[in-house]
Amino acid sequence: MSITIPVSRAVPALKRATEGQLDKIDKVLLTTCIALLAIGLVMVTSASISVAERNLSSPFYYMQRQSFFIVLGLIAAWLVYQIRLVHWEKSGMALLGFSLFLLVLVLVPGIGKEVNGSTRWISLGMFNFQVSEAVKLFMILYVAGYLVRHGEVVRTSIWGFIKPMLMVGIAALLLLLEPDFGATVVIIGTVLGMMYLGGVRFMQFVSFLALFGAAALLLVVSSPYRMERLTSFMNPWADPFDSGFQLTQSLIAIGTGGWFGTGLGGSVQKLFYLPESHTDFLFAVLSEELGFVGVCTVIALYSLLFYRATRIALQAEKCGNRFAAYIAYGIGIWLAMQAVINMGVNMGMLPTKGLTLPLMSYGGSSLIISCMAIGLLLRIHYECAVHNNQAVSGKSRKRSVKKRKRTRRAAA
């Protein structure tokens, strides 16, 4: 037996459902992300136009591909926005397993693609997928679910803290084999932040932080190319034409910008002086062309993004949805940390990490996964708004029932 719904009824119902979702969307967060995407597209176009013309004979090649990635990212964000959080909570362990599978798969000869000495990508035809970007998001979902299921053990037992960190350690080891030290730092930093907010004991947190710092220092000292990055970061002008070349060119670009910049398209350093000017060092070109005012605008947008993520997390806590709260905290920490590290590298405050500027730098994997993370934040805000509306409606019904009872008693 089939049930047929007339189109005249189905279309208005779908329209009302869509309008209801749009009414409850976080417009500040959405506007902030669209602004970052737009500024990023303009700056990618400006930073890459000369390189694309010389290498590909198509000055707008990277602009066209970035536009394509933005469309894919927005579609991915919308799809994520449609999925209820309870489904993500049930899939935490599966997503963790899938993350580890991808990290192993990328190391298999013939599958993983090597670029500049690192094997971090899997070719998907249209673009190369960077596995570590997906691992960042999936690890947040796993840790959020773990903190909900074992929150009491995390707060009272050291084993509750060590268990998820073992999973993170396995992922970190696989990332270091690629090698991808920057993604390792971001993932461990994000998870530690989530664990701290989940109530882990302060001494356990500090001890692990010290252990991680010592391990990171050992990795740097034991690896010649990481040691070279550290020494060139500490004094790039000692060898400005070799190991310190990229950082010195970035500093020249930032210093040239002044208050209002050289004007859009006016960068000199992007003309084959500054390597990776449209990816890792996009911030330097932005600083040169838009100046201090442009830099402050971008920093303000990222600050607003972090603020909205924490506000959404607090709303989720008030609604009693701790899983959603931990996700929002994790996404906020991740995107803010990666943005700060990228800017710090561009300004010579941190060693080169190979991390993109979220939602702005050229790159399909980073942009699409970041958009999915924003879709999750918007979904959390939506479900909290629905919960609050239902709570208000329930209270109104109770008051209405009590009022009717009082009226009947008075009439009797």
Side-chain angles (χ1 to χ4, degrees), residues 65-66 69-70 72-73 76 120-124 127-137 334 338 356 358-359 361-373:
R65 285 184 63 83
Q66 185 77 346
F69 294 145
I70 289 174
L72 286 184
R120 305 176 185 177
W121 296 268
I122 296 175
S123 179
L124 297 181
F127 67 98
N128 296 323
F129 178 68
Q130 189 171 351
V131 170
S132 60
E133 297 297 333
V135 174
K136 293 172 188 175
L137 181 58
W334 157 34
Q338 186 162 323
T356 59
L359 298 170
S361 292
Y362 174 78
S365 306
S366 174
L367 200 150
I368 292 171
I369 297 298
S370 297
C371 285
M372 290 175 64

Side-chain angles (χ1 to χ4, degrees), residues 30-44 66 69-71 73-74 77 301-302 358-361 367-368 370-371 374:
L30 183 62
T31 303
T32 302
C33 295
I34 290 175
L36 287 170
L37 289 171
I39 296 172
L41 178 61
V42 172
M43 293 313 306
V44 166
Q66 185 77 346
F69 294 145
I70 289 174
V71 172
L74 292 175
L301 287 171
Y302 279 115
L359 298 170
M360 289 187 64
S361 292
L367 200 150
I368 292 171
S370 297
C371 285
I374 299 303

Side-chain angles (χ1 to χ4, degrees), residues 397 399-409:
R397 284 195 296 270
R399 285 196 296 267
S400 179
V401 170
K402 290 180 179 179
K403 186 176 180 180
R404 285 198 298 270
K405 287 181 178 178
R406 286 197 299 268
T407 304
R408 288 172 186 170
R409 287 177 190 148

Side-chain angles (χ1 to χ4, degrees), residues 385-400:
V386 170
H387 178 273
N388 290 336
N389 286 347
Q390 289 175 347
V392 170
S393 299
K395 290 180 180 178
S396 298
R397 284 195 296 270
K398 287 180 180 179
R399 285 196 296 267
S400 179

